[in-house]
Amino acid sequence: MNDQMPTNPANDLATQDFKLDSSYFVAFSMAHDALKQGLSKASPLNVTQYRVLATLLGAFDGNVAQAQLADACDMKANVLSSVMDALESRGFAQRNPGKADARTRTVRITPQGEAHVASVNQAIIDALYRIFPSQSRNHRQILEAAIIAGAHISPVLATQPRYPASRALIALEVLSQTMEQRLKILVNANLNECRIVQCLSERTTPLRIRDLAEILHMSTVNVARCGDRLAKRSWVRKVSSETDKKAVYLELTAEGSYQAEVICSCIDQLATTKLWAGLTPQERLTISQVGHVVLAQTGHR
């Protein structure tokens, strides 16, 4: 007789402690690059400007106070003002005096701005599937579900937000900037250096620089330069091969292993507040799996 109580899958998902390992950041980086490529090909706007325009698209009645828009985008007033100058100059948005107080400003997206978001969103989707070609319906469904889930990360001004691919770009950009800034303050290392340390911490043997580059979807030159900087900090040591004298391997030192724990803890804390908190349990599972799915699809192990 089995004395164990039956488990509820939904409850298991709700309480599961998801971790973002190095495979996730490969998918994260590839998706982020694809989304930005789609934007650059279809729009004169940079990511910050497009982020404001796409957020403005979701205003409840077409108008939103400029201060509220700044809060929604987590921007300082002067930064948002500069962005609005750029959007207005292209006819994508319009500023008007507030009805109750002429000293305040309300902003709204124009029909030209709405059409631009629709056009750019399709270009973003096209770029995404050029980067992640998939003949597998299951894999494509997981990737699409991850984009929709990712779109829920950032706050919106509407109850029925549109264009999840655009909102996923915004979410990934914000998450990337936040993570880069937090890690820089915490361990004084950039995101690529931290990704290398994280990846090495997941292995029991040293990794060749060329293999690290392939695993992390980075250039060999970039990994080698990051490795040099990490070696100067005594986080990694370079190891030679007995069979291939030209090959250079990296392995963590004791100090590097300690820093890896700090880095992974920081990543997981950010994931809890910036990622998992806004998602359903099933969306959390989808996001946590997408890295492994993408690696399997694209041949990166």
Side-chain angles (χ1 to χ4, degrees):
M1 180 176 178
N2 189 348
D3 294 329
Q4 292 182 341
M5 295 290 292
T7 60
N8 185 325
N11 290 338
D12 290 344
L13 288 176
T15 58
Q16 187 170 343
D17 185 18
F18 294 115
K19 302 290 185 181
L20 297 186
D21 61 14
S22 60
S23 68
Y24 170 82
F25 284 99
V26 175
F28 179 102
S29 178
M30 292 172 68
H32 194 199
D33 289 346
L35 294 169
K36 288 194 296 184
Q37 286 173 22
L39 175 64
S40 66
K41 289 183 178 180
S43 176
L45 304 178
N46 61 34
V47 177
T48 300
Q49 293 164 348
Y50 186 70
R51 173 186 169 197
V52 171
L53 185 65
T55 303
L56 190 56
L57 182 65
F60 287 112
D61 60 355
N63 289 283
V64 62
Q66 187 163 307
Q68 184 184 1
L69 181 61
D71 288 341
C73 295
D74 194 23
M75 288 182 183
K76 294 181 180 179
N78 63 322
V79 175
L80 180 64
S81 180
S82 177
V83 170
M84 287 303 304
D85 288 342
L87 295 179
E88 274 196 309
S89 70
R90 298 185 181 279
F92 294 155
Q94 180 180 344
R95 282 179 286 198
N96 297 298
K99 293 180 180 179
D101 186 348
R103 292 172 299 178
T104 64
R105 291 286 188 94
T106 62
V107 294
R108 66 181 296 124
I109 191 169
T110 64
Q112 185 178 348
E114 288 193 39
H116 188 67
V117 173
S119 175
V120 171
N121 191 78
Q122 186 57 53
I124 288 173
I125 292 171
D126 293 343
L128 189 68
Y129 287 118
R130 281 196 298 272
I131 296 293
F132 298 123
S134 173
Q135 304 304 318
S136 167
R137 185 168 178 267
N138 289 337
H139 286 177
R140 176 161 292 205
Q141 285 178 334
I142 289 175
L143 184 57
E144 289 173 349
I147 292 300
I148 293 172
H152 293 167
I153 296 170
S154 294
V156 293
L157 299 175
T159 54
Q160 294 182 331
R162 293 181 285 169
Y163 304 120
S166 291
R167 291 180 50 233
L169 166 61
I170 293 166
L172 290 181
E173 180 71 11
V174 171
L175 189 58
S176 177
Q177 290 178 357
T178 303
M179 196 165 292
E180 182 92 44
Q181 293 166 0
R182 194 74 58 84
L183 289 170
K184 188 69 175 177
I185 293 172
L186 190 63
V187 296
N188 194 29
N190 65 38
L191 185 56
N192 282 340
E193 292 166 353
C194 291
R195 288 179 61 201
I196 290 172
V197 170
Q198 181 190 36
C199 186
L200 289 173
S201 72
E202 296 167 355
R203 304 308 199 272
T204 57
T205 58
L207 281 175
R208 188 171 53 173
I209 286 179
R210 188 172 66 186
D211 294 335
L212 259 173
E214 183 177 352
I215 291 169
L216 295 175
H217 199 66
M218 294 166 57
S219 71
T220 303
V221 171
N222 196 359
V223 172
R225 289 174 177 170
C226 289
D228 288 341
R229 292 193 292 269
L230 293 170
K232 288 181 179 179
R233 295 194 190 103
S234 299
W235 291 14
V236 303
R237 66 173 63 89
K238 295 182 179 181
V239 182
S240 59
S241 169
E242 295 182 358
T243 58
D244 185 356
K245 299 300 181 183
K246 294 182 179 180
V248 179
Y249 290 73
L250 297 180
E251 68 175 355
L252 290 182
T253 61
E255 175 64 18
S257 295
Y258 168 76
Q259 296 295 343
E261 292 182 5
V262 175
I263 289 167
C264 291
S265 176
C266 175
I267 289 171
D268 288 333
Q269 287 176 3
L270 279 172
T272 298
T273 57
K274 298 288 185 181
L275 184 61
W276 308 132
L279 304 179
T280 67
Q282 186 59 53
E283 286 169 342
R284 294 173 197 167
L285 181 62
T286 298
I287 288 287
S288 69
Q289 290 177 336
V290 71
H292 297 283
V293 171
V294 169
L295 288 183
Q297 274 184 226
T298 58
H300 295 88
R301 302 291 179 179

